[in-house]
């Protein structure tokens, strides 16, 4: 075989899958492989920038009472170092790695939404650039990466520093959510035939868990930063204690995001380790199931320990005990993974290559970080070392030891799948030892500095209190570590001159090693047929299997050639279910991201007209995006018939299954938002002696109750449509949706009228702030449901193309489901705003 | 190829360490030898803690004293090269000691307060300030 | 080169470096240590630490030993063909995970017990100080009245209660030698108790990032025998001495005219400002600028005329004063003992 497995020599096919051509092609490139690489490069660039900031801070701290920089500059660097590393480096680069590798690891061709992949990248890039543009004006964010209120509120941070942070963050986090969204669907629904749930590579299990966590966790931080931005721009009172707000609300929301965030970063890293160890020990993981269960349970538990960041805020002992226990218990699954790795190594024959070295560095450093983590979970001990350099040491052991080391291991390991080249082993060893030694020299003394009373985030410390030597050693170590990173960069650049390597230079087992190095943009022409967890070790040939599947993958290798076809497989069994059209290159993702960036950027300067213009650009881009002009034309009746016989549907548009998944996840996001708002409402209510405040009179009861009746009857009518099939009941469907839409519309009007009767504003009290926000969300959900119903009505009326009826069917289903979720929000909000004050 | 990269990396290490040392030197210059040989180091340590105690650094820039970055009065680097004290007194050791002990008497109304230094303390500090002349810089 | 050698020597000595106070420096500048066992609470936390440390060291040694054996013992590569997960090494898994669970459960139980003992002192504290965190200093209040700033005395050998507030941003009160920290949160009053076992001077600092000068927001607590403490408290609550010398009287007038009184209060005078620290007994304090510089004439003069260089961004503007006026002002302030 002259071509590596999976490669094509058909010109049309290659042309179809090539990134767009032309001078501005890179602006409209979609698909996972070019975008994934951009994620990696951008993420790494942010890593270097954040690292240089850290080096400057280390120089300032090298000496007591040093005068290298002003406290203001130090605080800016400190804030941006944290924000860069946590928001702009780790999560994006891990998502980028998964974006690039997931399709080839899953033995398929691309992620479900190639244009969304591109949008996620541009949103991330623009979010980061927006945040960093503050440096040009000398007003970089200075409130810390955790941005505690009230320090970051309008009173104590009147400058625009934190606006850059908040708005840049919103864009970057939105990108994180979108990438997560795609990865979840890809792992669940787009795999090679035969890849059952139990055969998914561990790294992707980890990404699946981490991505699901991102959906919940990132939403809370987005909402928290929305509150803060509203406080800053519109004068709401979410965080003003004198107006019924709460400063602790920020901390709860932030850490409800911030703690899972740590695991969002760690779990994929652990996944990388679980991928690499078997390869370099030539042994399967001792227990795949245990590792997967550990990942899932860590993910679930990580949502129950956020308050261990708040032990010193003075919480009741019973609460502290609960969070202490959770923080200690969460170490069990991680311990389990550790022993799985050790047992695997025990069995196997170790091959000492650079990736393995880094994994060993990870094991040592992360062990230390994990142990100090358990210590910090013990509340009384935390009272001493909280917010001291002990904590700084701890989380760098966890985040550098636990995430950066595996990440670098992953780069060495997967570089053939990124650039096609192997990186040098000799420089690799230098790289490892410099980083390992430098890391420990830099961060170990910080434990001791913490014991010596050095608080976090100080720009200097006085002489004669015994901190000078620890800090000097840390600074030296930081520079040794930085040299290690530099060697990595050099090694990478040197590797680019090497010829491309074999498909599988490490003798690895997972599917990405079956295709060439680097993989072609489509990853696999002939989709591999998977029969085990370690396909390349277990299977002589990847295109052998039961007759039907072989027939299908062979057919897919020759048809369609002129449009990008993706496949949907069954969540559990990995059987082929659908073939669908992915997307064409498009300028819309970058336009949409630009529109949003303009809109958010203009807000910083209170230029609301420009901001609105940005939104208009974004909206237009979105509409064009949703209605692509070029649809695939190439079709082949016989082939489609054949697929149909095998139970596989062919769609020359988006996949109904994926559309259902998308709606499911979107509604999950909507409900998370609702949950966060309601949490805010009840948290604030318990925090204030009189709730609602005397001044706030609820009005418009009749209209509000009527509005509920209208929406409920609208829902009944929509629910009724479940009885009608597309074929027979089309007119009834149309009638029902039309009536329901009218009812919802009236309900909206009534509700708006009810709200207009209120005597209080959103600035007078935190009650008003959350009240109007809930009201706005209620109406937003109504509009969403109306839009969904309108799309369904439109398609029911005008789309009679028999090939697209499945699509119309899905639109109807999604309209129905979004109506359910909308109604849940309405009733929950009505209950909260109108009824709950009388029950408390 | 690798060897070239290795050399660059080696240079980077040296460069990094150089950067650190320079940044340290900038702040903490050589501890000066106020008195020759035997007792030199003790004297300079004692003097520097006197300087810190009395707060000279709050108003004057004094190389080698942590936190001595004041901009109120003149910088005190290479003090021996200075011709005058307080604008009109010739810069002699006697004058400097007197000035340190009671600036208000030598020039009433000057911003520098009288801090009640003993003459031993004033001599130690004077010695420290003149010590900079020996500095190779 | 000599410098470098000196630094190298210094660094090499770190293992022996116990951080003893520099004899020439006032003890407010001396090193602190979370493990020093100088206070009842810190003492118990330090016991917790040694428990955690020994457990963690044991776990570390066991895991690393296992890992090293695993790495360097002779292993084998999996043969071609269907891959079976090997069950012969499962005992490592069961044993390791079992031990992890046991160790962690012991830790959790131990946490509960220690939290219970730390919840309240055995003897009800007789004294309550109120600490209000400011940007970037500490207002010390007793029975509703500011009596000091950045410095307070407590009786040794008995528990003292602190009620902690903030009317601006969040701060955190941390005295490593004596007790763990507790945050000062606007709209969320907190409290803390601690006990200094022996008389001594203890350095504390703000542990929550609170703005540009978070790095220079320290304080000093002086523990002394009950009798000495009571003398101090009585003195601290008394009004300021009347200015005695001629210079001081002129200085007082300057203090009132120059605008100092707009921010600072001196009990017993017309100065009633509430923005900056109270100065009633200023010259009896050890430090200035929130325990960052010693309270000597030179430092005080520099602080008045150029506080912005000493603590950039702090709320006190550098004062424009003639040299003469400065001397008068200093005379007055130095008399406030």
């Amino acid at each position: 075989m002259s071509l590596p497995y999976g490669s094509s020599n058909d010109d049309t096919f290659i042309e179809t899958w090539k990134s767009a051509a032309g001078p501005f092609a890179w602006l409209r490139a979609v698909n996972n492989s070019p975008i994934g690489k951009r994620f990696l490069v951008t993420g790494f660039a942010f890593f270097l920038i954040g690292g240089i900031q850290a080096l400057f801070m280390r120089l300032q701290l090298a000496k007591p009472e040093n005068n290298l920089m002003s406290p203001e500059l130090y605080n800016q660097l400190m804030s941006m170092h944290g924000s860069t590393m946590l928001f702009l480096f780790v999560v994006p680069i891990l998502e980028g790695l998964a974006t690039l590798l997931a399709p080839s690891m899953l033995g398929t061709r691309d992620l479900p939404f190639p244009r969304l992949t591109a949008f996620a990248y541009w949103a991330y890039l623009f979010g980061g650039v927006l945040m960093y543009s503050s440096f040009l004006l000398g007003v970089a964010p200075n409130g810390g990466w955790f941005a505690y209120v009230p320090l970051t509120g309008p009173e104590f941070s009147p400058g625009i520093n934190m606006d850059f942070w908040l708005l840049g963050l919103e864009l970057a986090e939105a990108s994180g959510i979108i990438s997560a969204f795609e990865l979840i669907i890809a792992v669940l629904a787009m795999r090679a035939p035969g890849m059952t749930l139990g055969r998914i590579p561990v790294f992707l299990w980890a990404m699946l868990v981490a991505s699901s966590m991102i959906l919940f966790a990132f939403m809370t931080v987005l909402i928290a930063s929305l509150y803060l931005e509203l406080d800053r721009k519109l004068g709401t009172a979410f965080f003003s204690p004198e107006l019924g707000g709460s400063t602790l609300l920020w901390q709860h929301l932030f850490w409800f995001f911030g703690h899972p965030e740590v695991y969002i970063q760690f779990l994929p890293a652990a996944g990388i380790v679980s991928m690499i160890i078997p390869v370099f020990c030539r042994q399967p993981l001792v227990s795949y199931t245990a590792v997967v269960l550990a990942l899932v349970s860590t993910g679930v538990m990580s949502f129950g320990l956020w308050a261990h960041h708040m032990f010193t805020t003075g919480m009741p002992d019973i609460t502290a005990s609960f969070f202490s226990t959770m923080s200690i218990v969460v170490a069990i699954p991680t311990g389990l993974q550790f022993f799985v790795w050790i047992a695997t190594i025990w069995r196997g024959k170790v091959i000492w290559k650079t990736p393995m070295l880094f994994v060993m560095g990870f094991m040592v450093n992360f062990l230390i970080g994990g142990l100090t983590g358990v210590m910090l979970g013990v509340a009384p001990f935390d009272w001493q070392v909280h917010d001291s350099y002990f904590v700084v040491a701890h989380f760098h052991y966890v985040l550098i030891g636990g995430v950066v080391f595996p990440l670098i291991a992953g780069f060495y390991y997967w570089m053939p799948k990124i650039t096609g080249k192997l990186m040098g082993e000799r420089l690799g060893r230098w790289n490892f030892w410099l980083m390992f030694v430098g890391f420990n020299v830099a961060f170990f003394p910080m434990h001791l500095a913490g014991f010596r009373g050095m608080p976090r985030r100080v720009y200097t410390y006085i002489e004669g209190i015994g901190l000078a030597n620890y800090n000097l050693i840390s600074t030296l170590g930081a520079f040794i570590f930085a040299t290690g990173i530099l060697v990595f960069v050099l090694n990478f650049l040197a590797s680019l001159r090497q010829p491309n390597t074999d498909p599988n230079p490490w003798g690895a087992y997972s599917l990405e090693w079956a295709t060439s190095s680097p993989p072609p943009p489509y990853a696999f022409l002939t989709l591999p047929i998977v029969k085990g967890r370690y396909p390349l070790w277990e299977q002589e040939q990847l295109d052998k299997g039961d007759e039907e599947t072989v027939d299908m993958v062979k057919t897919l290798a020759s048809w369609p050639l002129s449009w990008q076809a993706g496949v949907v497989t069954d969540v559990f069994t990995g059987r082929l279910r659908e073939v669908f059209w992915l997307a064409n290159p498009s300028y819309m993702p970058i336009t949409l991201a630009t529109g949003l960036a303009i809109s958010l950027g203009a807000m910083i300067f209170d230029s609301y007209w420009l901001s609105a213009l940005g939104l208009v650009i974004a909206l237009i881009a979105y509409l064009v995006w949703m209605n692509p002009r070029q649809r695939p034309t190439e079709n082949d009746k016989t082939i489609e018939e054949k697929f149909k016989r095998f139970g596989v549907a062919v769609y020359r548009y988006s996949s109904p299954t994926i559309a259902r998944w998308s709606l499911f996840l979107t509604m999950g996001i909507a409900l998370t938002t609702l949950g966060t708002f309601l949490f805010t409402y009840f948290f604030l209510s318990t925090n204030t002696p009189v709730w609602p405040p005397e001044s706030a009179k609820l009005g418009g009861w009749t209209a509000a109750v009527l509005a509920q009746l209208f929406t409920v009857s609208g829902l009944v009518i929509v629910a009724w449509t479940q009885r009608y099939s597309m074929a027979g009941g089309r007119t009834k469907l149309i009638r029902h949706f039309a009536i329901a839409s009218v009812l919802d519309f009236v309900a909206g009007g009534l509700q708006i009228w009810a709200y207009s009767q209120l005597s209080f504003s959103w600035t007078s009290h935190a009650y008003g702030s959350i009240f109007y926000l809930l009201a706005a969300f209620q109406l937003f959900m109504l509009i969403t449901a109306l839009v969904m119903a309108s799309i369904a009505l439109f398609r029911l009326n005008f789309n009679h193309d028999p090939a697209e009826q499945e699509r119309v069917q899905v639109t109807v289903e999604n309209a129905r489901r979004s109506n359910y979720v909308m109604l849940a929000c309405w009733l929950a909000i009505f209950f909260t705003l109108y009824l709950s004050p009388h029950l408390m | 190829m690798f060897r070239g990269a290795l050399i660059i990396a080696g240079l980077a290490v040296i460069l990094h360490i150089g950067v650190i040392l320079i940044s340290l030197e900038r702040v903490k210059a050589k501890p000066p030898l106020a008195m020759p040989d035997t007792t030199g180091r003790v004297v300079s340590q004692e003097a520097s803690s006197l300087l810190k105690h009395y707060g000279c650094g709050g108003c004057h820039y004094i190389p080698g004293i942590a936190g001595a970055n004041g901009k109120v009065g003149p910088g005190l680097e290479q003090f021996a090269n200075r011709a005058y004290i307080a604008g009109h007194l010739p810069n002699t050791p006697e004058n400097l000691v007197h000035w340190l002990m009671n600036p208000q008497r030598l020039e009433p109304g000057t911003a520098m307060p009288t801090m009640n230094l003993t003459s031993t303390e004033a001599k130690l500090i004077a010695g420290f300030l003149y010590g900079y002349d020996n500095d190779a810089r | 080169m000599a410098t470098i050698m000196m630094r190298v020597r210094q660094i090499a000595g770190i293992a022996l470096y116990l951080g003893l106070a520099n004899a020439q420096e006032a003890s407010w500048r001396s090193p602190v240590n979370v493990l020093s066992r100088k206070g009842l609470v810190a003492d118990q936390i330090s016991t917790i630490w040694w428990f955690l440390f020994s457990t963690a060291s044991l776990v570390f040694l066991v895991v690393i030993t296992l890992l090293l054996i695993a790495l360097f013992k002779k292993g084998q590569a999996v043969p071609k063909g269907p891959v079976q997960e090997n069950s012969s090494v499962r005992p490592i898994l069961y044993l390791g995970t079992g031990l992890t669970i046991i160790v962690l459960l012991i830790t959790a139980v131990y946490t509960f017990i220690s939290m219970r003992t730390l919840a309240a002192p055995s003897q009800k504290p007789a004294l309550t100080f109120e600490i209000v965190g400011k940007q970037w200093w500490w207002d010390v209040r007793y029975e509703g009245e500011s009596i000091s700033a950045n410095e307070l005395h407590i009786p040794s050998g008995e528990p003292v209660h602190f009620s902690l507030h903030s009317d601006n941003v969040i701060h955190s009160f941390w005295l490593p030698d004596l007790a763990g920290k507790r945050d000062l949160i606007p709209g969320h009053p907190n409290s803390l108790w601690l006990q200094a076992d022996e008389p001594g001077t203890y350095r504390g600092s703000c542990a929550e990032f609170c703005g540009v000068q978070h790095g220079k927001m320290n304080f000093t607590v002086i523990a002394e025998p009950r009798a000495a403490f009571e003398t101090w408290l009585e003195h601290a609550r008394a009004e300021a001495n009347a200015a005695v010398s001629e210079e001081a009287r002129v200085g007082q007038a300057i203090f009132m005219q120059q605008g100092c009184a707009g921010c600072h209060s001196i009990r017993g005078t017309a100065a009633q400002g509430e923005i900056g620290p109270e100065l009633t007994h200023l010259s009896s304090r050890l430090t200035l600028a929130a325990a960052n510089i010693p309270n000597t004439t030179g430092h005080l003069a520099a602080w008045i005329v150029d506080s912005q260089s000493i603590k950039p961004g702090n709320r006190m503007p550098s004062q424009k004063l003639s040299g003469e006026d400065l001397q008068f002002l200093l005379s007055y302030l130095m008399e406030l003992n």
Side-chain angles (χ1 to χ4, degrees), chain A residues 46 71 232 362 383 445 465 698:
Chain A
F46 278 122
R232 294 176 59 85
F362 153 82
W383 293 335
I465 56 172
L698 264 183

Side-chain angles (χ1 to χ4, degrees), chain A residues 579-840:
Chain A
V579 176
F580 70 101
W581 176 52
L582 283 163
N584 286 339
S586 163
Y587 285 115
M588 288 313 118
I590 188 174
T591 317
L592 181 57
T594 311
L596 290 179
I598 291 174
S599 180
L600 292 172
M603 250 180 246
I604 296 175
F605 300 98
D606 294 327
S607 167
Y608 294 102
W609 282 110
L610 191 58
S611 187
L613 180 72
L615 273 187
V616 170
I617 295 176
L619 191 68
I620 293 171
Y622 177 75
L623 291 175
V624 176
W625 178 333
M626 284 298 128
N627 295 289
R629 265 174 298 168
Q630 301 162 306
R631 290 190 172 283
T633 47
E634 179 190 343
N635 64 349
D636 187 320
K637 277 274 162 357
T638 37
I639 290 178
E640 289 184 29
E641 279 305 315
K642 180 165 78 182
F643 275 123
K644 207 168 190 175
R645 269 206 313 284
F646 294 146
V648 176
V650 178
Y651 301 108
R652 277 174 292 113
Y653 47 82
S654 56
S655 143
T657 307
I658 287 176
R660 286 187 193 110
W661 273 110
S662 310
L663 186 90
F664 175 73
L665 293 180
T666 313
M667 292 303 134
I669 291 174
L671 290 176
T672 310
T673 311
L674 175 72
T676 312
F677 286 155
L678 295 184
F679 168 80
T680 306
Y681 182 92
F682 289 107
F683 181 84
L684 289 173
S685 78
T686 55
N687 206 49
T688 318
V690 188
W691 184 275
E694 302 289 354
S695 58
K697 271 271 164 294
L698 264 183
W701 269 87
T702 331
V705 172
L706 270 177
Q708 307 311 309
L709 290 178
F710 273 100
T711 43
V712 171
S713 34
L715 178 90
V716 172
I717 291 168
V718 166
W720 206 258
T721 60
Q722 220 138 15
R723 293 157 41 105
Y724 305 128
S725 70
M726 283 280 296
R730 199 174 186 109
T731 30
K732 282 183 179 157
L733 276 173
I734 294 176
R735 199 177 303 148
H736 276 72
F737 270 103
I739 295 171
S741 298
V742 171
L743 287 175
D744 284 349
F745 199 78
V746 174
L750 281 167
Q751 192 67 62
I752 290 175
W753 187 82
Y755 290 141
S756 70
Q757 298 304 301
L758 299 174
S759 58
F760 52 91
S761 81
W762 54 77
T763 54
S764 54
H765 195 276
Y767 174 75
S769 310
I770 186 64
F771 189 104
Y772 282 102
L773 197 60
L774 274 169
F777 181 65
Q778 194 181 18
L779 295 172
F780 175 77
M781 287 308 292
L782 182 82
I783 293 169
T784 312
L786 280 173
V787 168
M788 295 297 284
S790 316
I791 298 173
L793 277 172
F794 183 84
R795 288 198 175 149
L796 281 169
N797 254 323
F798 299 109
N799 196 332
H800 293 281
D801 181 348
E804 298 203 6
Q805 287 318 297
E806 176 90 18
R807 188 185 190 200
V808 179
Q809 169 75 32
V810 171
T811 319
V812 170
E813 273 172 33
N814 280 353
R816 198 183 294 137
R817 286 182 187 136
S818 58
N819 208 303
Y820 296 158
V821 174
M822 182 278 285
L823 190 88
C825 291
W826 266 66
L827 291 181
I829 291 171
F830 175 73
F831 173 81
T832 306
L833 295 183
Y834 281 86
L835 303 183
S836 77
H838 299 278
L839 301 176
M840 286 193 293

Side-chain angles (χ1 to χ4, degrees), chain A residues 261-568:
Chain A
E261 162 88 348
V262 177
Y263 288 97
I264 287 168
Q265 302 180 350
F266 168 67
L267 293 182
I272 294 176
V273 171
S274 290
M275 294 297 285
I276 290 178
I277 286 182
V279 173
F280 293 91
C281 294
R282 294 289 186 266
Q283 277 289 337
L285 277 182
V286 165
S287 176
Y288 173 94
T289 320
V291 169
V292 171
L293 284 178
L295 292 171
V296 175
S297 56
T298 310
V300 173
M301 274 194 256
S302 74
F303 282 95
L305 33 89
W306 78 92
H308 74 208
H309 294 264
M310 298 166 65
F311 281 149
T312 63
T313 57
M315 55 175 71
D317 276 0
I318 183 79
T319 321
S321 306
F322 171 77
F323 284 106
S324 258
T325 317
M326 284 303 287
S327 314
I328 292 167
V329 169
V330 74
I332 294 174
T334 308
L336 175 63
Q337 287 192 71
F338 239 88
F339 287 106
V340 170
W341 294 327
I342 291 180
T344 308
I345 299 169
W346 192 281
R347 231 359 243 175
K349 190 173 146 217
V350 179
I351 300 164
W352 286 105
K353 296 280 187 181
T354 311
M356 192 60 179
L357 273 182
F358 273 97
V359 165
M360 290 305 111
F362 153 82
M363 291 195 69
V364 175
N365 292 336
F366 182 73
L367 182 57
I368 296 175
L371 291 170
T372 53
V374 172
M375 293 174 182
L376 287 169
V378 176
F381 180 65
D382 182 78
W383 293 335
Q384 271 288 17
V385 292
H386 179 79
D387 271 347
S388 78
Y389 260 71
F390 186 89
V391 172
V392 178
H394 156 71
F395 71 73
H396 280 97
Y397 268 88
V398 173
L399 291 178
I400 296 183
V403 181
V404 176
F405 273 74
L407 194 60
I408 302 272
F411 281 147
Y412 274 93
Y413 176 63
W414 277 305
M415 201 50 86
K417 298 296 155 190
I418 301 171
T419 62
K421 329 282 179 181
L422 269 177
M423 283 170 70
E425 276 298 312
R426 209 168 128 186
L427 275 186
R429 270 157 219 271
W430 273 95
N431 178 2
F432 170 74
W433 287 109
L434 281 169
M435 272 177 70
F436 185 76
V437 172
F439 170 75
N440 280 288
V441 171
F443 292 100
F444 198 81
M446 289 187 186
H447 292 110
L448 306 174
F451 276 178
R452 288 274 172 212
M454 183 162 171
R456 258 171 109 169
R457 303 154 184 156
V458 293
Y459 77 98
T460 193
Y461 47 93
I462 56 176
E463 208 184 16
I465 56 172
L467 294 178
N469 289 339
Y470 297 134
N471 277 289
L472 184 63
I473 295 170
S474 284
T475 302
L476 268 167
F479 277 82
I480 300 172
F481 183 78
T483 309
I485 301 287
L486 193 72
V487 175
F488 174 81
V489 175
L490 290 171
N491 197 0
F492 172 77
L493 294 177
S495 78
L496 292 181
R497 297 195 177 185
Q498 306 289 319
N500 282 350
T501 178
D502 299 334
N504 191 2
W506 307 114
Y509 55 84
S510 47
L511 288 176
E512 76 273 27
W513 300 102
T515 176
S516 63
S517 298
Y522 46 83
F524 290 99
L525 175 70
T526 313
L527 301 184
I529 299 166
V530 180
K531 291 175 190 159
R533 278 176 196 155
Y534 300 87
L536 302 200
W537 287 355
E538 294 176 289
Q539 292 169 240
E540 287 289 327
Q541 281 156 320
L542 290 169
D543 49 2
K544 294 281 177 290
D546 66 282
E547 224 173 283
E548 264 181 32
T549 318
V550 172
D551 193 351
M552 283 190 283
V553 297
K554 288 264 153 69
T555 312
L556 274 176
S558 60
W559 183 91
L561 295 173
S562 68
W563 48 276
Q564 297 186 358
V567 294
V568 171

Side-chain angles (χ1 to χ4, degrees), chain B residues 21 24-25 28-31 41 45-46 49 51-56 58-59 69-72 104 109-115, chain C residues 1-4 6-7 10 22 24-25 29 294-303 305-306 309-310 322-324 326-327 330:
Chain B
L21 291 175
L24 295 179
E25 289 299 296
K28 175 146 191 170
K30 255 187 196 175
R41 206 162 156 260
Q45 257 190 11
E46 222 167 287
S49 64
L51 287 163
K52 283 176 212 161
H53 173 75
Y54 284 110
C56 311
C59 293
N69 304 304
K71 298 172 194 77
V72 176
Q104 291 297 327
T110 182
M112 180 156 152
T114 297
M115 289 164 288
Chain C
M1 203 56 217
T3 330
I4 297 169
M6 214 177 81
R7 296 238 45 116
Q10 240 178 13
N22 181 343
Q24 286 151 325
E25 276 295 335
R29 213 191 250 281
N295 185 8
T296 60
T297 319
H299 280 292
L300 182 57
W303 176 253
V305 297
D306 196 14
S309 292
I310 296 168
S322 75
E324 256 174 335
L326 177 62
Q327 306 313 317
L330 287 173

Side-chain angles (χ1 to χ4, degrees), chain A residues 34-48:
Chain A
I35 303 292
K37 280 175 207 159
R38 288 181 204 176
F39 262 111
L40 293 182
V41 170
T42 315
F44 200 80
F46 278 122
F47 174 58
L48 293 181

